[in-house]
Amino acid sequence: MKRRVDLSEISDGRLYSANDMVKADCHGCEGCFACCCGMGTSVVLDPLDIHRMTQGLHIGFEELLKTGIELNVVDGLVLPNLKMTGEKEQCAYLNEQGRCTIHRFRPGICRLFPLGRYYEENGFHYFLQIHECRKETRGKIKVKKWMEIENLRAYEAYIFRWHRFCLACEKAVETLEEENIRILTLYILKTFYQTPYEQTGEESSSKEERFYREFYKRLEETGRKLGLRV
């Protein structure tokens, strides 16, 4: 999801890389789950998020739709997002104590918060959102440690490719008629989200390495079929 805002109004004015220290450590969010409430449809999920959730919860995509996610239009594409529920409009995966029940395999946007991504021509940097987190006593921590993602470099490359692909699809949607838009969006949803990612392969490969290989294969095939530069 793109935000059309002035970066100087929402950040501390700095751009960060994975090895930089940033004041983002919320110390386990003790006694606070404000960022898990009232988020509407903004916690958009990428294919790896869904893969991790289906693997972690041992359920399929359709079952996720019945429990903790929903589909909405994002920049012209139909994409899944975390569902907010109840009077507090809180994440469906919060328990009664306000703690995350999927923290071990939480989505990328949740790992990122209170950071954001600033996309550039050949990649992206991180920035600190200064108005989003209610914790006033955040500590400094390296970006890569805060993210808690194995092989962050591979993850960042994947995120950037997915971002570029979504931009290409968004431009394509602008030129299509309604029926063809429906066909395109359903194809993307089925190819990258609904169809499980193969988990067999070399024993030396991690689950996420196997995911990346399958993802890039699907990305290239989709680019050829749709005539997109991905």
Side-chain angles (χ1 to χ4, degrees), residues 56 100-106 111:
C100 179
T101 60
I102 61 168
H103 189 265
R104 182 171 55 85
F105 44 90
R106 63 197 183 280
R111 292 174 181 273

Side-chain angles (χ1 to χ4, degrees), residues 2-174:
K2 294 183 293 186
R3 295 176 65 185
R4 296 173 176 84
V5 295
D6 187 338
L7 196 61
S8 65
E9 296 179 356
I10 63 171
S11 77
D12 63 357
R14 292 187 58 192
L15 294 177
Y16 299 88
S17 297
N19 285 310
D20 289 333
M21 300 289 289
V22 62
K23 201 171 183 180
D25 189 355
C26 303
H27 307 294
C29 300
E30 298 171 359
C32 180
F33 54 93
C35 66
C36 303
C37 299
M39 299 303 290
T41 62
S42 66
V43 187
V44 180
L45 305 170
D46 61 65
L48 180 56
D49 291 332
I50 293 296
H51 174 67
R52 284 173 171 162
M53 291 171 70
T54 55
Q55 292 289 303
L57 294 170
H58 306 291
I59 60 177
F61 182 81
E62 298 304 322
E63 190 62 30
L64 280 180
L65 281 174
K66 297 176 183 178
T67 53
I69 71 170
E70 59 188 4
L71 299 176
N72 282 287
V73 177
V74 182
D75 300 323
L77 303 179
V78 177
L79 299 176
N81 60 265
L82 288 185
K83 184 188 299 183
M84 301 291 134
T85 63
E87 293 183 1
K88 294 182 179 179
E89 281 290 299
Q90 67 182 40
C91 176
Y93 294 106
L94 280 184
N95 63 20
E96 294 180 356
Q97 291 73 44
R99 307 302 289 176
C100 179
T101 60
I102 61 168
H103 189 265
R104 182 171 55 85
F105 44 90
R106 63 197 183 280
I109 289 181
C110 302
R111 292 174 181 273
L112 191 63
F113 189 86
L115 303 178
R117 299 189 191 104
Y118 179 77
Y119 288 94
E120 299 167 300
E121 185 176 353
N122 296 312
F124 63 85
H125 282 86
Y126 301 95
F127 66 91
L128 177 64
Q129 302 179 85
I130 57 176
H131 303 301
E132 302 298 329
C133 180
R134 294 186 183 180
K135 281 283 187 179
E136 298 180 356
T137 56
R138 295 193 304 271
K140 284 194 172 184
I141 189 171
K142 274 194 175 184
V143 171
K144 64 181 181 182
K145 184 175 181 180
W146 177 246
M147 295 286 290
E148 291 186 327
I149 291 178
E150 181 182 351
N151 195 348
L152 183 58
R153 181 174 294 182
Y155 175 76
E156 290 177 331
Y158 152 76
I159 285 293
F160 184 64
R161 287 290 298 276
W162 178 245
H163 172 74
R164 284 180 53 188
F165 173 72
C166 289
L167 287 181
C169 290
E170 180 185 346
K171 290 181 180 179
V173 164
E174 294 174 354

Side-chain angles (χ1 to χ4, degrees), residues 176-183:
L176 298 176
E177 296 181 355
E178 186 173 342
E179 178 60 19
N180 286 332
I181 291 175
R182 188 186 71 84
I183 293 172

